[in-house]
Amino acid sequence: GSGGVTAYLTLDGSTKTVQFDVPINVGVDNTGHDVTFFGATSGKSLLWDESGDRLVFADNTYLALGSGSDMLQYHTDSHGYIVNQKGNLIIQNTANDSDIIFKSDNGSGGNATYFTIDGSAADGTYTYTTWVDSGVVALGAGNDLKLWHNGTNSYIKNETGDLNIVQGADDKDIVLKCDNQGGGTTA
């Protein structure tokens, strides 16, 4: 107890609700215990793994957020999901001049960065979605239109059908520019 007040927990089978009016500690700091919460369905549990310093949700057991449980995070033993069921899903990094970095296994057993949403404007004007060298932006169900840079050259490649470049603004041109050997670009 604290300050001479002791709290007791007595379970006699007749009480269905237990109320604690004082703080509850399980174990002692740095010498804690695993704590498991079981659900109504077999295999659905929540575990505080003290040696792993993690809260573990069993497969197909949901972390539900919102008063209507509208946002769920879970794993099925095969795939991980973040599911928003109401309103917009906003991924926001509020750290000053920081990025959102997308990484995945690159086939060699390690994680590689595939693209970055760059939080800084390198030239003071534009913000960037940055793709690594040889990272391909692919569009279409068969990845038929590709855009990439391999570290030396840049490519736009169409694999099927016509490649249409359409200027939709009234009375405007399509302007192609390149270096004129004078150190600048010319139409």
Side-chain angles (χ1 to χ4, degrees), residues 27-49:
V28 177
D29 192 19
N30 203 30
T31 59
H33 302 279
D34 287 351
V35 178
T36 303
F37 298 91
F38 293 99
T41 305
S42 177
K44 306 291 185 182
S45 63
L46 176 64
L47 167 69
W48 170 253
D49 179 0

Side-chain angles (χ1 to χ4, degrees), residues 82-98:
I82 298 173
V83 178
N84 184 48
Q85 302 178 99
K86 187 176 184 182
N88 297 324
L89 175 61
I90 299 169
I91 299 172
Q92 180 176 348
N93 182 0
T94 60
N96 189 34
D97 195 26
S98 295

Side-chain angles (χ1 to χ4, degrees), residues 1 4 6 8 25 28 31 39 43 51 68 77 89-90 99 103 115 125 130 138 165 167:
T6 303
Y8 294 96
N25 294 319
V28 177
T31 59
S51 62
D77 190 39
L89 175 61
I90 299 169
D99 303 330
K103 293 185 173 190
F115 70 95
T125 305
T130 305
I165 299 173
Q167 163 59 285

Side-chain angles (χ1 to χ4, degrees), residues 133-164:
D133 283 341
S134 298
V136 178
V137 176
L139 302 172
N143 296 324
D144 297 317
L145 177 62
K146 298 174 179 75
L147 173 70
W148 75 96
H149 179 77
N150 67 8
T152 305
N153 297 305
S154 299
Y155 299 88
I156 299 172
K157 185 176 184 182
N158 183 44
E159 301 282 355
T160 187
D162 295 328
L163 176 61
N164 296 286

Side-chain angles (χ1 to χ4, degrees), residues 101-148:
I101 301 168
F102 290 82
K103 293 185 173 190
S104 187
D105 184 339
N106 61 3
S108 67
N111 284 319
T113 298
Y114 282 80
F115 70 95
T116 301
I117 299 173
D118 194 337
S120 61
D123 63 3
T125 305
Y126 302 105
T127 56
Y128 295 97
T129 301
T130 305
W131 297 79
V132 297
D133 283 341
S134 298
V136 178
V137 176
L139 302 172
N143 296 324
D144 297 317
L145 177 62
K146 298 174 179 75
L147 173 70
W148 75 96

